[in-house]
Amino acid sequence: MHYDVIVCGGGPAGFGAAIGAVRTGKKVLLLDKNSGPGGVAVYCGCPVFSGIRDFNAATRGGIAGEFAQAMEKDAFIVNNITMNSSEFAIGLAMTGMLKNSGVDMLFYATLHAVDVQGSRIKEITVSACGKNYTFSADNFVDATGDAVLSRLSGVEILPYRVEETMTKTVLFRVSGVKEFDKPKLMELFPKLDFPFSYQDRFMGTIVGDGQEILLNLTAVSGDALDAFELTRMDIELREQIPVILQWMKEKLPGFENCRLSAVAPMIGVRSSCNIKGKEVITCDDLDNNTPVTEPVARGSRSYGEHYIHSFNSPWRKSNGGSRAIPYGALLPEKLENLCVGGRCISIETRAVTAVRLMPVCMATGQAAGVAAALGIPEYSKVKTELQRQKCNI
Ligand SMILES: Cc1cc2nc3c(=O)[nH]c(=O)nc-3n(C[C@H](O)[C@H](O)[C@H](O)COP(=O)(O)OP(=O)(O)OC[C@H]3O[C@@H](n4cnc5c(N)ncnc54)[C@H](O)[C@@H]3O)c2cc1C
């Protein structure tokens, strides 16, 4: 089957890419190995879109802004800085927007082979239900988070050291907390002898209907592109949970009678690898706020969180404000018909925090989808279409 654009990966970036592409009038397929869209937000138990309000139409707009408004309209919980809702609500809202936009969706489909001819991807093959399905397209978007489509196509990956990638986590939730005074817990936490030395910062967020606390307290380091490593990390992370639970009951004020209410079905990978694009975003760029001539989205200027020995990495910079993300960071060096969106765009490993939050991934995804739909043209055409789609770039 042939499409104008195929988007691989249905997380925040793939969601933005598929809708951005279909709005240009093209025939678009979105595929994912999971049972629906949402990526980390839905399948790793993280329904927390940090900074989504900032993406409302009045500020940065685009599909992330529309998504925030859709969630508000349906009365899911929103506050000023973070939208916390349930995975169900997010999955439902995303599926609804994809369906209403006219995107074809294929789930339970794992991308595993790519046919590259010359400088173009010709076909991809996914496996699902014990069968292989082959699809061709004019242009493709890699929104797999781990640059799966890019790597299978021979795109170069930026060199990285595993200990410089961000920690992996299995998120869990508790209910039955007597009080939740986050500033007080943050102050107290480092003094309380937490059983795992890596975690020196209390990370908890009220989610769902407000009766549950999402805890971001497990962490390991390892290579998320190696299946044996992924398996080891998943096991270790799950083994940390009962230890932390017991510790919270004994030591954390208000948590004496807490109960485990949910554990994420899949390990949460914050970062793994990044493609080498026509432009590479560096720590220096973020430090110096180097001007960007071809902006397609905006990320943060801060970076260096979630390091394996402590929350702050030795290279952390908490620069305020945001910096534009250049078009060249979405474009692999050699392939003509591939664009990349989301957490695996072209950025130095140490700096990934600056581009990985979900609204930012939706925005780079939308830019990648638009570029793919237009045939990956020169910047001015992508800019005009992004502006038509109400992105404030
Ligand atoms: C523990 C944790 C906590 C976080 N907390 C926050 C937070 O509080 N706020 C916030 O804004 N962000 C947070 N993030 C970051 C955010 O969730 C991710 O950076 C973001 O989801 C990345 O979006 P993405 O679309 O690039 O990738 P992903 O969300 O990883 O989506 C990639 C998609 O590609 C699919 N895929 C991968 N390989 C294949 C294949 N071979 N075939 C088919 N499909 C494939 C996957 O199934 C997945 O659905 C957190 C992340 C983690 C792990």
Side-chain angles (χ1 to χ4, degrees), residues 86-97:
S86 72
E87 292 89 326
F88 169 73
I90 285 169
L92 197 67
M94 283 186 164
T95 309
M97 280 178 71

Side-chain angles (χ1 to χ4, degrees), residues 12-45:
F15 169 75
I19 298 179
V22 85
R23 284 183 182 171
T24 67
K26 296 289 163 76
K27 189 169 151 62
V28 179
L29 174 71
L30 173 72
L31 62 90
D32 200 293
K33 63 185 166 63
N34 289 331
S35 58
V40 169
V42 173
Y43 293 88
C44 305

